[in-house]
Amino acid sequence: MDPRRLALVRGGEDTGFRRVGSGYLIAARLVLTARHVVDACPRIDVRVGHPQDVTHRCAAQVCWTHPDGRDVALLLLDDPVEVPGEVRWGLPAGQAPLPYDALGFPSATTRDGQHSVEHLRGELPVLGGGAGDQDRYVLDQGPAPGGPKAWAGASGSAVFCRDRLVGVVIHDDETFENRRLHACPARSFVADPGFAGLLERHGGGRAQLSQVGTDLERYLRAARLAATEHPYPGVVPGTMPPLAQIYVHRQVVRQPPPDGDTAHDLGLDAEGPSAGSPPRPADEALTGDATCLVIGGPGGGKSSLLRTRLTDGIARWLDDADETGPAPVLVPAAALQGAPLGRALVDTVNAQLRQYGLTTPLPETFFERRPAPGRTWLVLVDGLDEITSPDGRKDVLRTVANAGDDYTFIVATRPVPEADSGNPDPQVPRYRLEPFRPDDLERLATGWLRALGVPEPERSARRFLSGLTVGRLADLVRVPLIMSMLCHLQAKAPDVPLPHAREPIYRSFVGLLHERQYAAGGVEQARAALRRYGSDAEARAEGALQGLQGILAHVAYHLLLPEHGPRPVLDLAQEHGCAERPEAVPEKHWRDFLESVLCGTGLLARRSDDLVFIHQTFVEYFAARHVVDDEERLRAVFRKTLIRTARYLPGRSRPPGVRPRLWFSTYWEAPRDDPFNGFLLDITPGDHPLKNELFGRMASRRAGIDGYRFLIHQGLLGTSLPVDVTDSVVRQIREAARDRSLKPSARTYTARLLTAFDEADGVAAFRELVHDPTLKGSDRMEAAQAFAELAPAEALDVFRALAEDKTLDHHHRRQAMWTVAELDPAADAEPPQDHAFYMKADNQHRAEAALVLSQADHETAVRRLRALAHDESVRSPDRVRAAEGMARIEPAEGVRLLRSFAHDPGLGDHSRVQAAARLCRYEIDAELFTMLARDPTLTAYYRLRAARLLFLLDEHQLARTLLRELRDDTALGRRHRWRAALSLARSRLSGRG
């Protein structure tokens, strides 16, 4: 409802006006009103706009009335009135009464001939009204004037339910003491051709009715309200900025699937050493059309990303009548454990959205049916890693895998083994959430500082960021959670130096929250509520407030390392000595007090029927504090989780780089790479013998590369490491990178580790690997790729040297040539032009060498590729490869060749399907794959492959149809029919039904 579109309508004759009504501007020259206001009035005057704002007055004439005599009309203004935005139309649905709003000019508000605006409001009982001539909405009006014809002048008012125009006021039902109005439903006139034609002709578009008041609409509106809140820790309720105000759009990188064949089918196979999956905007990659996993580090912004996807998806459903995407729902991963999916979703949503307007619970079967015909649910699953049990994580992933066609999923998690091992299925795409790019940081800092009320936020952000290059802060600020905490600290005390390590950042931020909790007055209110129970109760309340940090640490420890299964937070809190209930205080009142002060910290919030920490890293931080506070507990945790030994045993894989290499000898096993271990190491005093023992072990050869990796990863997470430990690790990694007794993959990995601490050393290590003739060509090319990322200015010389290195085989020399041509199209192309080199290469490498040659000699390259493609003595896969190469440099000819190869029964099954797959890089031809899948001359394996490729091209329904045909084809063997059935089942994971 836009007050700028309100219209005062007066009708009469040249001698004066005898009728007054209301209206609403629905297009630049069209006003919607009640017909009886202007019926038989040769003169009509309209004033558009709210009297408190700018108004436009002009003459009008009736241009449409309802053909069936309904009391509704359109007026055509002599002059257009431009108001930004559009009018959206609604259809009340469901059974529960809906709140409505309208603006009008009832006669009861008239004073001295001046008409004032009345805000009509009340409830629209959806089931009220009748049929035929009695088809009308009954409006139970709230405040109502007295006297006869008090509502005269409100006729023609546009009635809105949740910003949707649903009808027009036409009648005052005096039998209900002026507390009931009638309205003509929009559904009765928007489809009339005359009305629709005028609306489109004057720029109002089509009047599409969206249902208002359905369970789906109630859910979407409550979820949108909840999603606007920022998921990072609040200071005091109501003080956090909306997420959209500070959110910076993120990038993701597609990870290769564990299954190599699937990678090839998905088009992720590398075309050269520089090929790979580049970063993409998360908004483009995570569309919800297919189930996927998003993997990011602690505090990396996974929750914010999911909330943004939720907000965008809901906005499209509520605001775009033509939207065809899935309906999103956000749930914590733990909610999907041990319950049917539909029931788990509805229970979670009912509990989470109660405070956001979902006062009437959704029915139990709400998520068991599709949100609309042909539409699916997009389930956004947050915090898979927060489930501490591996079996619990597997249970959730099994739920995702077996959910069926009505659901797709985006599962966000830290790296966990279950997500890295092909679960829920190798076909499911995996994306790595990228940290902030340097140019993102200033936008993010500006948004936070503006939201926190810092003057001149742009300049303050630049000054703030200029001081973040000391120590590990330059890396830490790329983590969204760390950045948000630093912005809070900066806003509170701009002149105080910021902490330069992770643990001090958390400690300072928790202290800041504690100060603000007292300053906001919530603590005093909670304390005052217990004064009536006497001095002992007040003293116990004060003790709980003073011991709040200890209570949080106790709760976090038992949440992270549960000994007897999960328990409610308030139950855990009451076990702490500072939170023991006074005898005079009823149980419920004491728990209400504890909940109030715990949530008032800004670190916990209510979710469903329990309290949760607002971010998992705060659980880990406080749990580590609890461990360190007790020496006996500290020693037990160190011995159980950090200082572990193992032995070389036959049949067990040995960690790389461990010395001595003797059976049954002892080596040091590296702990898990998680923030809890890092916080524990940070908080443990520096001279503690267990801490020094762990560092000494991990920096020794008896831990090997796994130990070095643990220390380096902890450093990247922000854990403070002693200088002597860092120096020792760097020295040993240098030696491992040059140790020819190690596997090449281990040497490459250690070189990557080295770059985390000393990029120059890493570059030098990779340069040695590139030029080490004892390594295989693939290992040298991998090292060259890493070298090029670290030293792009030297990359061209390195790849040119590899292209000329005769110790490499033709395949890897060709890869090097390809990269040279990519890096510098004008580079010297002598190696591939050399006729002797060309003739010694096999046909595959001839085709690829010709592509490199095309950068410098297009005509020769085309001639060579054409000859290979048409030479029937050449193997068919190489002919297809030549045709695909032709398509790159001569698209029209190459596409014709690929299409002809796909249709050629003499070419071989593999090559025909491969030609069709390569053709997809240039045009999508679903009919071609359909032909191949149904071609009885092809073997069953390649018919199945054609159907699978169709599915990967987003032709989901067609692919499923073909897979069903193959599954039911009795001419195929049992094994291939079973594979078709399996592919059909697995396809549900990767696309919509």
Side-chain angles (χ1 to χ4, degrees):
M1 184 173 65
D2 190 340
R4 296 172 298 177
R5 293 181 178 272
L6 173 64
L8 174 65
V9 180
R10 296 186 294 176
E13 301 169 346
D14 292 340
T15 57
F17 298 109
R18 50 190 172 83
R19 296 178 191 164
V20 175
S22 305
Y24 196 79
L25 185 75
I26 61 172
R29 292 186 61 195
L30 293 180
V31 170
L32 177 67
T33 189
R35 188 197 65 216
H36 73 263
V37 173
V38 293
D39 198 20
C41 292
R43 179 185 175 191
I44 302 173
D45 180 86
V46 178
R47 187 185 70 195
V48 177
H50 196 285
Q52 297 175 357
D53 201 350
V54 178
T55 60
H56 305 270
R57 185 171 179 175
C58 58
Q61 57 185 336
V62 176
C63 62
W64 174 86
T65 58
H66 198 285
D68 295 334
R70 304 300 296 268
D71 192 0
V72 63
L74 281 181
L75 305 180
L76 182 66
L77 303 179
D78 287 356
D79 301 309
V81 179
E82 300 292 343
V83 177
E86 61 179 357
V87 177
R88 294 183 292 172
W89 302 82
L91 175 65
Q95 298 183 0
L98 292 172
Y100 77 86
D101 293 273
L103 295 176
F105 297 91
S107 60
T109 65
T110 304
R111 298 289 185 274
D112 301 325
Q114 298 297 314
H115 301 278
S116 299
V117 176
E118 178 71 14
H119 187 164
L120 287 68
R121 57 199 182 278
E123 285 192 338
L124 187 158
V126 179
L127 299 182
D133 293 340
Q134 299 301 314
D135 178 18
R136 59 186 60 177
Y137 292 140
V138 176
L139 309 179
D140 290 330
Q141 176 64 17
K149 298 187 180 298
W151 286 112
S155 293
S157 297
V159 180
F160 285 83
C161 289
R162 295 173 181 162
D163 295 328
R164 304 278 178 173
L165 200 164
V166 301
V168 179
V169 174
I170 58 173
H171 181 253
D172 174 14
D173 191 342
E174 296 179 5
T175 60
F176 285 84
E177 299 179 349
N178 294 347
R179 299 189 66 86
R180 175 164 289 179
L181 302 174
H182 292 160
C184 180
R187 65 169 181 258
S188 67
F189 58 81
V190 295
D192 177 73
F195 179 94
L198 282 167
L199 190 61
E200 291 203 47
R201 191 178 313 137
H202 290 282
R206 290 183 300 150
Q208 294 183 315
L209 295 174
S210 298
Q211 289 191 335
V212 181
T214 62
D215 288 335
L216 176 63
E217 193 250 355
R218 291 193 305 117
Y219 156 69
L220 291 172
R221 289 187 179 277
R224 174 155 67 177
L225 184 60
T228 59
E229 294 190 357
H230 200 286
Y232 284 172
V235 182
V236 179
T239 64
M240 286 295 290
L243 177 58
Q245 186 174 341
I246 53 177
Y247 185 73
V248 173
H249 290 275
R250 308 298 299 280
Q251 300 268 318
V252 294
V253 172
R254 176 83 177 264
Q255 303 298 288
D259 182 346
D261 291 338
T262 303
H264 186 274
D265 287 348
L266 288 168
L268 297 178
D269 49 318
E271 291 299 325
S274 63
S277 180
R280 294 178 58 196
D283 299 349
E284 297 178 7
L286 310 179
T287 61
D289 291 337
T291 288
C292 65
L293 297 180
V294 178
I295 300 171
K302 299 179 293 295
S303 296
S304 297
L305 175 66
L306 291 187
R307 282 177 181 254
T308 302
R309 305 312 308 139
L310 176 69
T311 302
D312 292 348
I314 290 174
R316 288 195 294 269
W317 268 81
L318 291 177
D319 302 335
D320 186 354
D322 295 326
E323 168 62 16
T324 60
V329 53
L330 174 63
V331 294
L336 303 185
Q337 284 185 267
L341 177 60
R343 182 60 183 268
L345 293 177
V346 79
D347 286 348
T348 302
V349 167
N350 281 335
Q352 288 182 346
L353 301 185
R354 187 183 306 128
Q355 60 182 312
Y356 297 102
L358 195 68
T359 52
T360 302
L362 298 172
E364 291 184 0
T365 60
F366 178 70
F367 288 105
E368 294 177 6
R369 57 182 183 272
R370 293 194 173 207
R375 311 280 285 278
T376 60
W377 292 107
L378 171 60
V379 185
L380 305 166
V381 183
D382 194 13
L384 177 68
D385 56 283
E386 294 178 19
I387 300 174
T388 56
S389 163
D391 290 338
R393 295 193 291 266
K394 291 177 183 177
D395 180 48
V396 171
L397 291 174
R398 280 194 294 268
T399 298
V400 171
N402 300 314
D405 292 346
D406 293 348
Y407 308 91
T408 54
F409 295 82
I410 298 177
V411 181
T413 179
R414 296 180 188 178
V416 291
E418 293 75 20
D420 295 334
S421 59
N423 288 313
D425 187 273
Q427 291 186 28
V428 174
R430 286 157 172 77
Y431 294 94
R432 183 183 73 245
L433 183 60
E434 292 286 273
F436 286 131
R437 296 167 297 178
D439 56 341
D440 293 333
L441 294 177
E442 185 172 332
R443 293 200 302 273
L444 181 69
T446 300
W448 266 113
L449 296 179
R450 179 182 291 111
L452 295 170
V454 174
E456 300 181 314
E458 292 84 0
R459 191 174 71 174
S460 298
R462 288 192 292 271
R463 185 173 62 250
F464 164 58
L465 291 172
S466 68
L468 299 182
T469 57
V470 181
R472 306 298 299 176
L473 270 186
D475 293 327
L476 288 176
V477 295
R478 300 180 69 196
V479 178
L481 177 60
I482 299 287
M483 185 62 159
S484 70
M485 291 193 289
L486 287 171
C487 287
H488 276 282
L489 295 172
Q490 175 73 12
K492 173 65 168 58
D495 298 326
V496 176
L498 292 170
H500 288 94
R502 181 187 53 183
E503 190 276 332
I505 292 173
Y506 276 77
R507 178 167 20 94
S508 300
F509 183 70
V510 168
L512 173 63
L513 296 186
H514 190 65
E515 292 177 21
R516 290 184 174 173
Q517 183 179 13
Y518 274 83
V523 169
E524 181 57 34
Q525 291 178 10
R527 184 192 290 119
L530 296 181
R531 284 178 184 156
R532 57 179 169 159
Y533 295 106
S535 58
D536 179 60
E538 189 173 358
R540 291 286 184 88
E542 184 62 31
L545 291 168
Q546 294 301 321
L548 197 53
Q549 302 293 308
I551 296 172
L552 289 171
H554 173 84
V555 169
Y557 174 78
H558 288 282
L559 288 175
L560 190 67
L561 304 170
E563 297 176 356
H564 305 291
R567 297 170 58 202
V569 164
L570 288 179
D571 289 353
L572 294 172
Q574 285 189 265
E575 291 179 352
H576 193 273
C578 292
E580 185 178 350
R581 179 178 65 87
E583 289 185 9
V585 181
E587 176 74 15
K588 180 181 185 306
H589 290 182
W590 183 249
R591 289 174 73 89
D592 288 345
F593 164 77
L594 289 178
E595 179 175 341
S596 174
V597 295
L598 288 173
C599 290
T601 63
L603 295 169
L604 288 99
R606 174 158 286 283
R607 179 188 291 171
S608 299
D609 296 324
D610 197 10
L611 301 182
V612 294
F613 275 87
I614 206 77
H615 199 279
Q616 181 68 9
T617 54
F618 285 96
V619 180
E620 293 151 341
Y621 167 72
F622 278 105
R625 285 180 52 169
H626 186 72
V627 170
V628 176
D629 285 344
D630 184 279
E631 178 65 21
E632 184 178 348
R633 188 184 300 123
L634 176 63
R635 288 183 174 277
V637 171
F638 256 86
R639 293 297 180 189
K640 181 178 180 180
T641 65
L642 293 179
I643 299 180
R644 301 185 296 177
T645 61
R647 290 184 181 276
Y648 277 143
L649 296 176
R652 176 183 292 180
S653 60
R654 294 178 293 178
V658 173
R659 301 289 176 86
R661 298 178 180 179
L662 300 174
W663 289 121
F664 305 107
S665 63
T666 300
Y667 67 91
W668 313 134
E669 192 172 337
R672 292 185 307 168
D673 296 316
D674 60 30
F676 170 72
N677 288 335
F679 284 126
L680 187 59
L681 292 172
D682 273 338
I683 300 172
T684 300
D687 58 352
H688 197 285
L690 288 176
K691 183 175 180 177
N692 292 329
E693 181 181 352
L694 175 69
F695 283 150
R697 285 187 172 191
M698 292 299 102
S700 74
R701 287 197 168 192
R702 293 180 72 178
I705 294 174
D706 284 354
Y708 312 152
R709 177 197 48 75
F710 170 77
L711 292 176
I712 287 179
H713 188 75
Q714 285 298 323
L716 295 176
L717 285 175
T719 305
S720 297
L721 301 177
V723 174
D724 60 327
V725 171
T726 301
D727 291 343
S728 175
V729 169
V730 171
R731 182 178 64 256
Q732 300 214 50
I733 291 177
R734 286 196 192 105
E735 295 174 3
R738 295 166 174 81
D739 186 349
R740 293 187 176 183
S741 67
L742 291 176
K743 291 182 179 180
S745 59
R747 293 177 62 190
T748 301
Y749 183 71
T750 54
R752 290 188 182 278
L753 289 178
L754 188 58
T755 62
F757 272 97
D758 190 327
E759 188 169 301
D761 269 354
V763 170
F766 277 117
R767 183 184 287 109
E768 290 185 23
L769 291 171
V770 168
H771 297 294
D772 186 342
T774 66
L775 296 180
K776 292 189 301 184
S778 58
D779 296 319
R780 295 175 66 184
M781 294 304 297
E782 181 182 351
Q785 269 291 91
F787 179 88
E789 293 170 5
L790 295 169
E794 302 178 53
L796 185 60
D797 291 337
V798 165
F799 281 107
R800 184 180 284 117
L802 289 173
E804 298 172 354
D805 189 339
K806 295 183 179 180
T807 64
L808 281 176
D809 59 25
H810 291 303
H811 173 69
H812 292 105
R813 289 184 67 187
R814 183 272 312 171
Q815 286 186 311
M817 296 171 196
W818 179 269
T819 305
V820 169
E822 284 184 337
L823 294 174
D824 184 5
D828 182 9
E830 181 179 352
Q833 277 185 305
D834 180 72
H835 186 71
F837 175 89
Y838 178 76
M839 294 309 296
K840 282 166 53 179
D842 59 26
N843 290 320
Q844 171 187 345
H845 297 137
R846 289 186 190 183
E848 291 162 340
L851 282 176
V852 180
L853 174 61
S854 68
Q855 302 288 336
D857 189 344
H858 183 271
E859 291 185 4
T860 301
V862 169
R863 186 170 62 253
R864 290 181 177 180
L865 289 170
R866 185 182 292 126
L868 278 173
H870 289 285
D871 189 345
E872 296 185 0
S873 67
V874 171
R875 295 172 58 250
S876 57
D878 295 330
R879 294 178 66 192
V880 171
R881 190 172 287 109
E884 202 272 334
M886 178 70 80
R888 295 188 186 186
I889 59 177
E890 287 289 338
E893 183 176 354
V895 165
R896 284 196 301 272
L897 281 169
L898 288 171
R899 189 181 293 109
S900 68
F901 286 165
H903 284 276
D904 186 353
L907 203 62
D909 295 358
H910 172 81
S911 296
R912 291 180 65 190
V913 175
Q914 190 71 2
R918 296 304 186 190
L919 182 63
C920 291
R921 298 177 183 223
Y922 308 97
E923 62 179 39
I924 303 299
D925 190 345
E927 292 183 2
L928 179 59
F929 284 103
T930 303
M931 179 272 293
L932 291 169
R934 289 173 172 162
D935 188 344
T937 67
L938 283 176
T939 61
Y941 173 84
Y942 287 104
R943 292 173 67 185
L944 279 169
R945 184 173 174 83
R948 282 188 67 200
L949 285 167
L950 248 185
F951 178 82
L952 296 174
L953 296 172
D954 289 337
E955 294 288 344
H956 300 158
Q957 293 294 355
L958 181 55
R960 287 195 175 96
T961 298
L962 293 170
L963 288 170
R964 290 189 188 99
E965 291 178 6
L966 292 168
R967 178 195 64 189
D968 300 334
D969 189 346
T970 56
L972 300 182
R974 288 181 59 189
R975 183 179 64 172
H976 292 105
R977 292 177 64 191
W978 179 83
R979 285 183 175 177
L982 180 62
S983 294
L984 183 62
R986 292 172 68 184
S987 72
R988 296 172 182 170
L989 296 169
S990 302
R992 297 177 296 172

